Structure formats: structure tokens, C-alpha cells
Amino acid sequence: MSTQSTTVTFLIGTIAVVSLIKPDCVAVKEDESGFKLCVTSRRGMKDLSHKNLTNVPSNLPNDTQYLDLSYNSIQRLNGAPFSGLSQLCCLMVTHCGLREISPAVFSHTPALKVLNISYNELPIIPDISLKWLKILDLANNLYNSYRIPASFQKLMNLDVLVLGSTTALSVNYDDFDPLTNVSLHHLTLGAGIHWRKYDSGALTKLKSLETVSIFAPFCGDLNTFENILADLNVTKATSLRFITLFPDNCSDTGNLFKNLRTMPFIKNLTIENTWTNSSFMEVFLKNVWLSYLYDLSFINITYSEDTPDGFQFRTINHTINLSSITFNGINHYQYKYPTFNMSFEAISNLTYLKFSGTGMNILPCNLLSALPSLETLDLSDNLLPDSGFWWIHCSYTSVFPKLKRLSLSKNRFSSLSFISDKTHQMKTLESLDLSFNSISLDGDCFWPAQLTELSLGNNNLGNSVFHYLSENFERIDLSKTGITAITHNDLSQFHKLTHLQLSSNSIQVIPADLRAPALLSLYIDQNAITTISREGLAGLPMLQTLKAGGNPFVCSCDSHWFVTVLNKSMLLDWPLDYTCSTPPAFAGLPLSEHKTSELSCEMWLQAAVAVPVIILICAAIGLVFYKCDGVWYAKMLWVWIRVKRRGKKRSNMLKNVSFSYHAFISYSHQDSDWVDSQLVPSLEGAGCSLCVHERDFVPGEWIIDNIINCVESSYKTLFVLSKHFVQSEWCNYELFFAQHRAISVQRDSLVFILLEPIPTDSLPKKFLRLRSLLRQQTYLEWPKDERKQQVFWASLKSMLHMADTSVVMKDVALAIADAVPLLTDQV
């Protein structure tokens, strides 16, 4: 096989679907760099592009970190609007017609790291002295010289510089002198315009260069190109990129890269966005094969055959270092397939090969599959169907003997079961990328045991996709596959799973019973997850990397653990992609700024704090209650409440009963001083009618009859209890008759006033009834405190005034009875 030559006619295919690269491709993607270097919060981002602005707004927030003013009509940048923007880290002002920049702008923005003022009309390269500036893009302006201002020598952290002007037609020897001591690693130079002059040694001033991109054509200008290569060899740059190397239909390509074989430091070479022909390719690849290059890339190439036999590459007796070739975008506009005749020996050492965007629809038999050292094959962005890759007309004897990684992304593959069966032919295959196809789950899949990584992203597969995967898989990518939920059963079979990507699906929750003991990395961003709980990640003990941004998070206690406890170093996209979705008051708020206290969110902590506090409060209230005689006041309140509640009931029961007195007072004559001086004056002064035995007993009647009559004629019977009361025989009689009357007529007619404490257990046996009543009924205690006495009288008067209606009716009846005989006599 070492001497065999093969004619390849299907390498390009019948359709070429590649658009030419845009002119602004040479610029570094500052938007991505700005994000990584500068933005710590979405709140600090201000996108004012496409706003028809003529001036920079003066009300920019002081916490602005990222400011995009592109695509406006701002011709001058003044310092005033930037005052206070000390945190500004990335400034984008492109496509604005910008002509002048005030030095005050940069004095107000000392933290600036990324500055993109490309695609404007700057007549000179502006003075910039920003200590922390890392990326500076000045491409596509109108300065007529590449001379760097002296202020650039202060840009000690400058890493990427992009220069390009359609009016700068020469590169002079001293243009880059201010950058001599600057550790610049990446330089892009040119605007697609042919240089009239290049002074040898100009680029040698940049001693730290690693990657150089030259955006200029060199058709017929061999000397200039060789001088540039010689200077780059001095800088020891390792990566070269030539953009628009030849204009369309260049007739003098020459042997531009003949010095490549004498440049030991160059390891990577990219030819981009250019026209080329078979004559150039033959000479160029010969130089490449004889060089120290490790990686060769062709990006957006327009290829034309200018030789009758197509591309001819004969065997070279030389050690070949090249191990990686990339073809990303090949256009071929001729009416026949391009022809490539080359020896397998020339590519036998390849370990990486990429054919992307070439329109390939059939894989050439016995060419790519027979490469003995190939480990990675990328055929993405082509037109390959199932039968185009595994062509039925090919007879495989040894299919990719060392292939480990195969990318078939962005093609037309459809049958997952067919693919799983065919991968058994690749004995060493470990990784397979089938993303962006039209894959269907059309049958059982049986994957080879050595295949450990599978990507099925951007295929409409649904929740059942897990049943078509192998238990040997360690890395699975199911991004944007229509999955709405994951369960314990879905992942239980993958004991070796270490990396799982579920981005851009419709998953709403991470179940608490999810178990993946070996999982190291989980991507669940761009789903419908509202909260991530401790329980949801408890079954992932080895998890080291989590990407969960772009979900509609609920800013409540449900997110407290995630925000405050979870180790944020494992979150790849924290805090930029984490914002509150609900409640509406917090919508758009960065999740990192939503603060909740542990006390307000942890129930056990609330209980631990609340119980002691409640006990202390109750103890304090109890102590105050006790010190302020609360027990006594409570008893008085209870008596008053009972009187009010029973008032209506009593009025119904007594509506046919009338009384002469509000109360009959039963007391011992030894307590008469208190009764005469306190009780009687207070009650009668309040309008109560009292029956006192010393005053109201009818003379000549038996004492027992007087007692019975007074009890029955009174609404209440008041017993003034004291030690003397229990020693009185008559008091015992009065209690007896009053108790029987309460049973037969009015259950609540007995009122006990405890003049002094009398333990119920110390009462004589003849007062057993009194002992029972004191245990069953509420009694009033006579207080010594004058304030309490007011409450005592109010409660007692309230009870007695319930009989006012009955007493009045009795008085009216007696008056009528006295008046009737008088009226009769007159008649």
C-alpha cells in the first residue's frame, strides 16, 4: 500500500454548499471574549446597538461592565458620558462612522480589557494607554499607516491586536517599535488590500508572537511573502493564518511557501477564504510535506483545476510530520469532479482528518477507511445519508483500523438501529457524533462494547431515547432532543455514565430519587427547571461540573439552598445565566442577588428559634399576670362573662316571676360592720334594693318564716362567707333554704362573697353543702386593694341589676293594687 496511488473522484461530491467567509471574520470574537473576561452580572450589560444614536447616552449606570454601541451614527466619543464608568471592562463601538476619540474616554475607564472600534472611519490609530487592556480591535478603519502610537508601550497586558485599513498600503520597519516590550501573543494584520511595501524586519520587533494572521493577497509578490515568512520565523511564532492569499483567478501563485521547510517553529498553518488551483496545491503540499508542520487547515476555499490531469501528488521519500488536515468549506464550480491522484504513503501518518462543508454525499471506498493511523474523522456538515457512509457497493476488509472518534454531525442520517449495527465494523471506535441529523428510533439498538460516547443532540427523539442506548456509555449528549422528563429508571442502567448533556429540552424538575453514582458532569441548562434542590443532587455524589443556566428559576425559599449552600465553583455558567423568572417582582433579577436568610427558609430552624421564644414570652406573661393579680382579675372577668351570657336565659325563665328585693344578704352578726359600712351602702347607692335581716324581718313572725319569705322575695341571695359565718346556726338555715329555692326556681340565685380565705376542707360537717357549692360555683373574693374593689363592686352590681325589670314590675303591681280600692270607692 505504500506505493499504491488512487484516483479520488468522489471526495468533493456533486454538491458544494458553502458560503464564502465574511470580510469581518478576521476580527477576534470580542463579544465572546468580553463575556468571559468582563461580565459578572447581566445587570452590568448594556446593549445599545442599532438604536440610531448620534451620541453616547449620559445616564449610563455606574456598574456597567459591558457596553455595545455598534451600528449607530456616533462620529465622536467624548469623555463626559464615560465619567463614572470605572467598572467598564468591554466597549464595542463598531460600524458607527467613528472619526475621533477623546483621550478623556480612557481616563474614565481604567478597567477596560476589551476595546473593539473596528469598521469605522478613524484617520489615525488613536492614543491608548490602558494598563489592563487585553484585546484591541482596530480593523477596517481609514488610517493610512500602521505606525503604532508611543502610548501603546504602556499596554503591558495586551494579548490580542487586530490592525487593518484599506488605506494603509505599506508596513514600515519602525511601525511596531512601541510594542517591543509588550507581550503580544496574537496579531492580525491587513484589510484584504495588497501591500505595496513591506520592510524586512518589521514583525521581528514582536518577540512574543504565537499566532499571526495576515489578511492580504500576495499574487505575484513572492519577495514580500518570503520576507514576512522570514520575520515570522525570527519571532518563533507557532501558528500562521493567511486570509485571501490569492484573489480570484490569480495567474501567478508561484512557490510562496518554499521557505516553509526551513521554519522549525511553525506547527499550525491555515489557508482561509481564498481562491486556489491544482498547480498551487501540488507545489504547496510538497512544501508542507517537507516542513515541520503538524496541523494544516483549508477554510472556505474555492478550488479550480488548471492542469489537465487534475491534482497529482507523487511519493516523497521524506519523513512526514503532518498528522492533522482540515477541509472546512470547499467550493468547486467546474463541470467535472475534481481529480486527486496521491499515494497513501503521503497521508499514512494522519491521526486527524476533517472534511466539513464539502457537499460530500458518498464516502470514497477504500480511501478514508484504510488510513492506518487515523484516530479522528470529522465528516460534519455534508450530505451523507446512511447508505452514503456505509455504501453497499464498497467491500470493507479493514474499516478504520485505529479510528476512535467519528463525527457525522449535520448530515442526513436517519436510522439509529442501522447505525448501531454498522459501528460494530469499527473495532476501536469510542466516540460517535450524530447530532443535527434526522435520527429516528426505528428499532432495537445493539452498540459495540468499546463505544463509550454518543451525541444525539438536535434530533427529535423524546423521552424513550434512553431505552435505545448502551449501558457501556460513559458520555451521552441528548441536548435539544425533545425530552420532557428524566426518571430514576432512565439512568439506572448507566452505571458507568460520567458526562450527561440534557441542554435545551423541556425538563421541569430533577427528581429526588435520581441516581447516577459515577456522574461527573451534568448539563441541564435551557430547560424548564424552576428550582434545584439538595435532594435532587443527593444521588449524584461524584458531580463536579453542573451547567444549569437559562432556566426559569423561582426566587423563593425553594432556591435558598442552591443560592447559598451549593459550591458555585462547579457551575460553569454562574452567575451570568441565572436569573429570576418568578415572582413578577423579582423577574429579571440575577439569582446571585436574591438574598434569603436561613431563618426565613429552614423550618427546623424556625421551630428551634420559635419554641424557646414562645416559652420565654409565655413565662414573661405568666410572671406579669401573677405579679399583677391576674388570677383574681380573670375570675372577675369570667363572672362578668357568665352573667352577660346567661342574662337573656334568666330573663326568659323569670319573665313570670317578680321580686321585692335585688338581694337577700346572709351574714354573721360578727361581720355586720363590713356589711353595714361597705356592702349595703355600695349596693343601695347603686339603686339596688337589699333585704337585711336586722332591718327587714317582719317582727312577730318566726325567724324561719322570715328567712323563707326573704329568700323567695329576692332575686339573689348573697352569702358573706367568713369564719364567723360557718359558726352560725342561722346562717346554715339560710343557706339550706336558699339552695332549695335555687333548685326549684332559679339555679343561679346564690352568690358567695368570700370575706376572708376559708379552706373548703376546714368547713364543719354541717356545712357539707357549702363545701360542695364552693367547689362547683364561682365566688367573689373581697380584695384589700382599692383598685380591685372597684372591679369587685362592678361585677356584683352587674349581677344584681339583671333583676331590675322584675323589681320594677313588682313595684308597679303594688301601686296598682293600692290604687284600685280608691277608684272603687269613688265610683
Side-chain angles (χ1 to χ4, degrees):
M1 190 173 73
S2 61
T3 59
Q4 179 184 2
S5 296
T6 302
T7 300
V8 184
T9 58
F10 297 105
L11 195 58
I12 301 301
T14 58
I15 304 177
V17 186
V18 178
S19 60
L20 290 180
I21 193 169
K22 296 180 180 179
D24 58 348
C25 68
V26 299
V28 179
K29 295 183 178 179
E30 289 88 352
D31 52 347
E32 297 179 3
S33 302
F35 258 85
K36 295 178 181 179
L37 287 173
C38 299
V39 181
T40 59
S41 171
R42 294 281 179 182
R43 190 187 299 274
M45 294 181 56
K46 292 293 176 287
D47 185 0
L48 300 178
S49 60
H50 300 277
K51 300 294 184 182
N52 295 321
L53 300 176
T54 56
N55 292 290
V56 180
S58 58
N59 57 346
L60 295 172
N62 291 340
D63 61 350
T64 302
Q65 298 175 326
Y66 182 101
L67 177 60
D68 189 353
L69 297 167
S70 303
Y71 295 95
N72 285 291
S73 298
I74 302 174
Q75 296 186 3
R76 174 181 169 83
L77 292 183
N78 297 312
F82 293 91
S83 61
L85 300 185
S86 59
Q87 300 181 40
L88 185 63
C89 181
C90 179
L91 177 60
M92 311 270 291
V93 191
T94 68
H95 301 87
C96 287
L98 187 64
R99 296 179 181 178
E100 185 179 357
I101 301 177
S102 170
V105 172
F106 304 122
S107 64
H108 292 310
T109 56
L112 206 61
K113 292 182 180 180
V114 179
L115 177 60
N116 184 354
I117 47 178
S118 60
Y119 293 92
N120 283 295
E121 299 176 9
L122 293 171
I124 59 172
I125 297 177
D127 282 317
I128 300 173
S129 57
L130 294 165
K131 178 180 179 181
W132 302 109
L133 191 66
K134 295 180 69 69
I135 300 175
L136 175 59
D137 191 345
L138 292 164
N140 288 279
N141 275 278
L142 298 179
Y143 41 84
N144 55 19
S145 170
Y146 287 116
R147 179 179 294 276
I148 300 297
S151 60
F152 275 42
Q153 62 186 338
K154 299 179 181 179
L155 306 180
M156 301 308 297
N157 289 287
L158 189 63
D159 184 64
V160 178
L161 176 62
V162 182
L163 295 172
S165 172
T166 55
T167 60
L169 304 179
S170 63
V171 179
N172 299 316
Y173 178 78
D174 56 354
D175 281 349
F176 305 112
D177 284 354
L179 299 176
T180 300
N181 297 319
V182 176
S183 57
L184 184 68
H185 296 128
H186 306 273
L187 173 67
T188 298
L189 186 63
I193 302 299
H194 179 262
W195 293 337
R196 295 178 181 174
K197 184 184 73 167
Y198 174 84
D199 288 346
S200 179
L203 290 176
T204 59
K205 311 292 181 64
L206 308 176
K207 301 176 182 179
S208 301
L209 281 181
E210 296 177 358
T211 302
V212 179
S213 298
I214 303 297
F215 186 17
F218 294 94
C219 183
D221 196 352
L222 179 61
N223 291 333
T224 299
F225 191 81
E226 288 182 342
N227 290 336
I228 292 174
L229 288 185
D231 287 355
L232 294 177
N233 190 43
V234 173
T235 65
K236 298 183 180 181
T238 58
S239 180
L240 298 184
R241 177 170 169 239
F242 291 98
I243 306 163
T244 318
L245 186 63
F246 302 118
D248 293 351
N249 301 318
C250 175
S251 59
D252 185 8
T253 57
N255 190 5
L256 292 181
F257 289 91
K258 65 180 180 180
N259 291 335
L260 196 62
R261 63 186 73 179
T262 62
M263 301 176 68
F265 303 106
I266 301 298
K267 302 299 179 184
N268 307 92
L269 176 61
T270 300
I271 307 298
E272 183 174 333
N273 192 30
T274 192
W275 170 92
T276 186
N277 55 30
S278 56
S279 298
F280 168 78
M281 290 296 290
E282 289 180 8
V283 177
F284 171 70
L285 289 180
K286 181 178 181 180
N287 292 322
V288 168
W289 255 251
L290 297 176
S291 72
Y292 296 89
L293 279 181
Y294 173 84
D295 174 70
L296 175 63
S297 297
F298 296 95
I299 300 176
N300 290 296
I301 300 299
T302 300
Y303 177 78
S304 174
E305 283 190 350
D306 63 336
T307 54
D309 297 328
F311 174 80
Q312 302 290 328
F313 192 82
R314 295 170 178 81
T315 303
I316 297 177
N317 187 19
H318 187 273
T319 302
I320 300 174
N321 297 302
L322 192 68
S323 61
S324 173
I325 297 180
T326 296
F327 291 93
N328 190 359
I330 304 295
N331 293 308
H332 176 64
Y333 297 117
Q334 294 175 309
Y335 291 102
K336 67 173 184 176
Y337 295 148
T339 302
F340 292 85
N341 292 325
M342 62 186 303
S343 170
F344 276 123
E345 183 180 359
I347 55 175
S348 61
N349 291 334
L350 284 184
T351 59
Y352 179 92
L353 179 61
K354 178 176 181 179
F355 278 94
S356 179
T358 62
M360 179 189 299
N361 56 10
I362 297 177
L363 186 69
C365 296
N366 300 325
L367 175 62
L368 301 181
S369 62
L371 295 176
S373 301
L374 193 64
E375 296 181 358
T376 301
L377 176 60
D378 187 346
L379 299 176
S380 59
D381 198 15
N382 285 296
L383 303 175
L384 288 169
D386 297 339
S387 58
F389 186 81
W390 288 280
W391 199 17
I392 58 174
H393 298 291
C394 291
S395 177
Y396 298 113
T397 55
S398 177
V399 179
F400 303 109
K402 289 188 177 181
L403 189 66
K404 295 181 179 180
R405 291 166 291 275
L406 174 62
S407 176
L408 301 176
S409 176
K410 297 182 181 179
N411 277 280
R412 297 180 177 180
F413 292 93
S414 59
S415 175
L416 193 62
S417 60
F418 174 81
I419 296 172
S420 69
D421 179 61
K422 291 297 182 180
T423 52
H424 284 271
Q425 300 175 0
M426 306 175 188
K427 304 301 182 182
T428 59
L429 187 64
E430 298 176 359
S431 175
L432 177 61
D433 186 355
L434 293 171
S435 59
F436 292 93
N437 278 283
S438 301
I439 300 296
S440 61
L441 306 176
D442 57 342
D444 295 336
C445 297
F446 302 96
W447 300 96
Q450 79 278 0
L451 186 65
T452 59
E453 180 176 357
L454 178 65
S455 175
L456 291 171
N458 288 270
N459 288 285
N460 189 18
L461 304 174
N463 295 340
S464 62
V465 63
F466 293 99
H467 303 297
Y468 296 85
L469 307 180
S470 168
E471 62 181 9
N472 296 313
F473 287 164
E474 299 176 5
R475 294 171 176 261
I476 301 175
D477 185 356
L478 296 174
S479 301
K480 203 171 184 179
T481 52
I483 296 176
T484 59
I486 53 173
T487 65
H488 169 72
N489 293 333
D490 291 336
L491 299 185
S492 60
Q493 61 175 319
F494 304 108
H495 303 292
K496 302 178 181 179
L497 186 63
T498 60
H499 294 73
L500 178 61
Q501 296 188 25
L502 298 171
S503 306
S504 302
N505 282 293
S506 301
I507 301 170
Q508 298 181 1
V509 66
I510 302 176
D513 61 346
L514 195 67
R515 296 291 181 271
L519 194 66
L520 300 175
S521 175
L522 175 63
Y523 284 27
I524 50 171
D525 54 303
Q526 302 293 330
N527 274 275
I529 297 173
T530 57
T531 182
I532 298 177
S533 65
R534 187 197 309 264
E535 294 75 17
L537 300 183
L540 313 176
M542 302 296 292
L543 191 65
Q544 298 176 0
T545 302
L546 176 65
K547 188 177 182 182
N551 281 293
F553 287 100
V554 175
C555 282
S556 66
C557 283
D558 293 337
S559 299
H560 174 74
W561 175 84
F562 180 78
V563 174
T564 61
V565 180
L566 182 66
N567 182 10
K568 300 304 180 297
S569 63
M570 69 189 301
L571 299 177
L572 294 179
D573 47 354
W574 178 270
L576 290 181
D577 296 332
Y578 295 80
T579 56
C580 300
S581 178
T582 56
F586 296 126
L589 179 72
L591 196 60
S592 58
E593 297 181 14
H594 177 67
K595 305 299 182 183
T596 55
S597 65
E598 187 174 5
L599 178 61
S600 64
C601 294
E602 298 291 350
M603 294 298 295
W604 68 270
L605 188 58
Q606 293 174 8
V609 173
V611 170
V613 170
I614 292 174
I615 293 175
L616 288 174
I617 292 175
C618 292
I621 293 175
L623 181 61
V624 173
F625 191 75
Y626 176 77
K627 290 293 184 180
C628 297
D629 293 327
V631 176
W632 187 88
Y633 283 107
K635 288 182 179 180
M636 292 298 102
L637 179 61
W638 175 242
V639 170
W640 182 82
I641 292 174
R642 291 184 64 190
V643 169
K644 291 297 184 182
R645 290 182 61 188
R646 296 180 182 178
K648 185 176 181 180
K649 182 177 180 181
R650 290 196 202 103
S651 63
N652 292 333
M653 293 175 59
L654 301 175
K655 62 183 179 179
N656 296 321
V657 180
S658 60
F659 304 102
S660 300
Y661 307 101
H662 285 89
F664 167 61
I665 303 176
S666 175
Y667 62 97
S668 171
H669 71 279
Q670 295 186 25
D671 298 323
S672 59
D673 291 341
W674 181 82
V675 172
D676 295 337
S677 63
Q678 296 282 350
L679 182 62
V680 173
S682 296
L683 295 181
E684 289 186 340
C688 295
S689 176
L690 302 179
C691 179
V692 182
H693 68 271
E694 294 179 351
R695 184 184 67 187
D696 297 317
F697 274 15
V698 178
E701 287 192 9
W702 286 2
I703 295 177
I704 298 298
D705 289 341
N706 272 316
I707 292 174
I708 294 174
N709 291 333
C710 287
V711 169
E712 292 180 348
S713 300
S714 300
Y715 175 62
K716 297 282 188 180
T717 301
L718 303 183
F719 293 96
V720 181
L721 303 182
S722 66
K723 294 179 182 178
H724 305 297
F725 182 91
V726 298
Q727 301 298 328
S728 173
E729 187 71 24
W730 293 112
C731 289
N732 188 26
Y733 288 139
E734 293 171 352
L735 178 62
F736 175 80
F737 291 124
Q739 184 183 15
H740 279 277
R741 187 253 185 176
I743 294 174
S744 59
V745 179
Q746 185 184 357
R747 295 180 57 191
D748 222 8
S749 62
L750 306 183
V751 178
F752 297 100
I753 300 175
L754 196 60
L755 195 60
E756 57 186 0
I758 305 176
T760 56
D761 295 336
S762 66
L763 295 175
K765 293 183 178 180
K766 62 182 179 180
F767 278 94
L768 291 177
R769 288 188 299 274
L770 178 59
R771 183 186 302 178
S772 176
L773 288 171
L774 289 177
R775 287 173 176 171
Q776 296 176 2
Q777 293 190 215
T778 303
Y779 53 84
L780 301 176
E781 293 186 29
W782 170 249
K784 302 300 182 183
D785 190 345
E786 292 184 0
R787 294 176 302 165
K788 297 180 181 178
Q789 290 176 7
Q790 296 177 4
V791 179
F792 173 86
W793 293 123
S795 299
L796 187 57
K797 293 172 185 178
S798 178
M799 288 189 293
L800 297 180
H801 277 302
M802 298 298 297
D804 283 349
T805 303
S806 298
V807 173
V808 171
M809 293 300 295
K810 174 68 174 180
D811 295 341
V812 172
L814 291 175
I816 294 174
D818 292 338
V820 168
L822 298 175
L823 295 173
T824 304
D825 293 342
Q826 292 178 1
V827 175

